[in-house]
Amino acid sequence: MTTPTIRLRQMIGGTWADGAGTAERSENPADPDGAPVAEYLTASEEQLEQAMAAAAAAARAWDRRGLLSRGQVLRRAALLMEDRAEDLAMLMTREQGKSLADSRGEVGASVETLHYHAAAARRPNGATYPSSHPDEVVRTIRRPVGTVAVITPWNFPLQIPVWKIAPALLWGNPVVWKPASDTPAMAVALTEILVEAGVPDGALNLLLGPGHLGAALVAHPDTAAVTFTGSVPVGHSIRDAVVPRGAKLQLELGGHNAAVVLPDAHLPSAADAIVAGGMGSTGQKCTATRRVIAVGDCYDALVGELADRVEALVVGPGADEGTALGPVVSAKARDEITTALQQAIDEGAAVLATAPVPDTPGHWVAPTLLAGIPELTICREEVFGPVTTVLRVSDLDAAVELANATDFGLTASVFTRDQRTARRCVDDLVAGLVKVNAPSTGSELHAPFGGLRDSSFPAPREQASDSAAEFFTVGKTAYERLAPEEDS
Ligand code: NDP
């Protein structure tokens, strides 16, 4: 039975409205010739102005609601999301392509994230200081930063928006959200949940449309803060638009994450973690393992373990039981990965292992393990797909130097049984997240997340409630002195 195409609308000032722009659609990456997943008209620049005005109009009442009441809205959203978990997972797999197991995991983590930020409303959120004056209290307070522009990618179409939108709303800010064009139905599904949970008119506005709509949103003079996850070039163009006018900015960009494997490592478990980190979600994670650096004489045994696992990966429609890797998100993404892979081979890389892909029209890319040298383009530039290159070095110093020899600094992992080696890597690998004996991918939703160098922008990090509070508020220090008593 064919699943009907969903008609999507924009959310502006509490009203679902048709876009005033051009017709667009999202497709099923496992069945691009089938019926579209969703169809919609894009938002116009005039509708962007309407959304910004609605956000400004909603700001004061949303602020006055208070933290605990806003936390209750997030808790209701978590419960609604849990009720709809299976439908959301099926939609995610249909629109983004990932396996149903991955989609279910993402929905579950998004529910937890909503609960986490709901509970964060009850945490202490300021400090008091002694005053030189006996009748005075000095305390720090947090105030909403203002209208927050949220721009999100397609690879985690629910989790990344929730990481950003939940704390932005909790701290009393109105939000204007432009999601990725490849996953608009997921964006509408999340917006429906938040609106149904009680986010008032104008406090959350959703604009579906192309990248230039995002550019207009971040450049808008009323945008007080921007939180973005996506590619380096777009991130840098946003930085150039936002920083000069003093708005707050949080960027989570790409990575070129290395896994360093020492000869004393437990190789079967290292190989499990590397294949999960490099190939999981069809390699479409900014934290994916792109390079494996084998130290000393472990190279041959490690390659054997890795090749066995890559060859056993089952690629297929995400909705099929037993599928480990779904298709990549779009024909454009598939073509970019295939071109980069061919370039690597032309530059001298050797294919160590691949897995078969279905013989159907989906956007399939075979997971590929390469043997290479550091000079390959693929060892410098991020290829957002299931491709990992194995390199060899003689010792730990060379491994750390090579791991750090990129413009990125998102995640890194090290596999060893030696605590001193692990400690050295935790200290010296230039990465915002360092994992020991664990995949480069995956993070706790309550621990600070973010990269270094071109992977990020110096700002309070994502996920953890403390750093989220810092980003989505401005701090003030209040000196509150009692008025003199009447008769003094
Ligand atoms: P983009 O950076 O192009 O897109 C991310 C988001 O930004 C989307 O919502 C996109 O809208 C929007 N956008 C595009 N152009 C602009 C602009 N000029 N100003 C403001 N917003 C804009 O990433 P892609 O999804 O196209 O993926 C390309 C590459 O980005 C990947 O191959 C990968 O290297 C990297 N990437 C990194 C991710 C991460 O988690 N760090 C996630 C996804 C991608 P629209 O979809 O309408 O173009």
Side-chain angles (χ1 to χ4, degrees), residues 40 150-156 160 177-183 208-219 226 228-235 237-238 241 251-255 283-287 290 329-330 332-333 336-337 381-385 408 410 449 455:
Y40 61 100
V150 174
I151 302 192
T152 51
W154 43 264
N155 59 340
F156 288 90
I160 290 176
W177 175 26
K178 197 217 86 68
S181 295
D182 285 324
T183 49
L208 304 175
H212 64 76
L213 190 69
L217 170 61
V218 301
V226 176
F228 169 85
T229 299
S231 64
V232 172
V234 173
S237 74
I238 291 175
L251 298 176
E252 292 305 339
L253 310 176
Q284 299 173 111
K285 292 183 181 178
C286 49
T287 52
R290 305 289 180 207
V329 71
S330 63
K332 178 169 163 274
E336 284 172 4
I337 299 162
E381 295 179 5
E382 184 183 39
V383 175
F384 217 61
F408 296 102
L410 190 52
F449 176 91
S455 295

Side-chain angles (χ1 to χ4, degrees), residues 8 32 46 58 75 78 87 94 145 173 204 208-209 216 231 243 249 303 331 335 347 376 381 390 395-396 442 462 485:
L8 305 176
E46 195 184 335
R75 198 164 62 247
D87 287 349
R94 200 149 66 88
V145 63
N173 304 291
L204 174 62
L208 304 175
S231 64
V243 171
L249 178 62
V303 162
D335 294 347
E347 289 176 3
L376 299 176
E381 295 179 5
V390 192
D395 57 30
L396 179 60
E462 284 201 308
E485 292 191 41

Side-chain angles (χ1 to χ4, degrees), residues 129-146:
Y129 294 82
S131 167
S132 312
H133 193 287
D135 283 343
E136 189 172 71
V137 173
V138 180
R139 64 184 181 101
T140 56
I141 60 167
R142 295 193 177 282
R143 300 290 297 135
V145 63

Side-chain angles (χ1 to χ4, degrees), residues 180-346:
S181 295
D182 285 324
T183 49
M186 283 306 300
V188 167
L190 173 58
T191 303
E192 284 171 350
I193 285 172
L194 287 163
V195 167
E196 220 175 300
V199 175
D201 295 356
L204 174 62
N205 304 277
L206 173 70
L207 297 174
L208 304 175
H212 64 76
L213 190 69
L217 170 61
V218 301
H220 197 284
D222 294 345
T223 295
V226 176
T227 176
F228 169 85
T229 299
S231 64
V232 172
V234 173
H236 286 178
S237 74
I238 291 175
R239 178 194 64 194
D240 295 344
V242 167
V243 171
R245 65 185 174 80
K248 284 181 110 172
L249 178 62
Q250 192 176 52
L251 298 176
E252 292 305 339
L253 310 176
H256 210 302
N257 316 298
V260 174
V261 184
L262 278 298
D264 72 339
H266 183 267
L267 292 186
S269 64
D272 284 344
I274 289 167
V275 172
M279 308 295 173
S281 295
T282 323
Q284 299 173 111
K285 292 183 181 178
C286 49
T287 52
T289 308
R290 305 289 180 207
R291 294 169 297 150
V292 180
I293 302 174
V295 181
D297 59 10
C298 73
Y299 181 91
D300 290 335
L302 177 64
V303 162
E305 298 277 355
L306 292 171
D308 287 349
R309 286 160 178 76
V310 169
E311 284 164 3
L313 288 169
V314 178
V315 182
D320 286 4
E321 285 297 329
T323 288
L325 305 187
V328 296
V329 71
S330 63
K332 178 169 163 274
R334 180 199 57 208
D335 294 347
E336 284 172 4
I337 299 162
T338 312
T339 303
L341 200 47
Q342 188 56 51
Q343 183 183 5
I345 292 165
D346 293 346

Side-chain angles (χ1 to χ4, degrees), residues 390-416:
V390 192
L391 306 161
R392 66 199 313 170
V393 294
S394 56
D395 57 30
L396 179 60
D397 286 344
V400 170
E401 190 180 336
L402 182 55
N404 291 343
T406 81
D407 293 335
F408 296 102
L410 190 52
T411 69
S413 21
V414 54
F415 296 88
T416 178

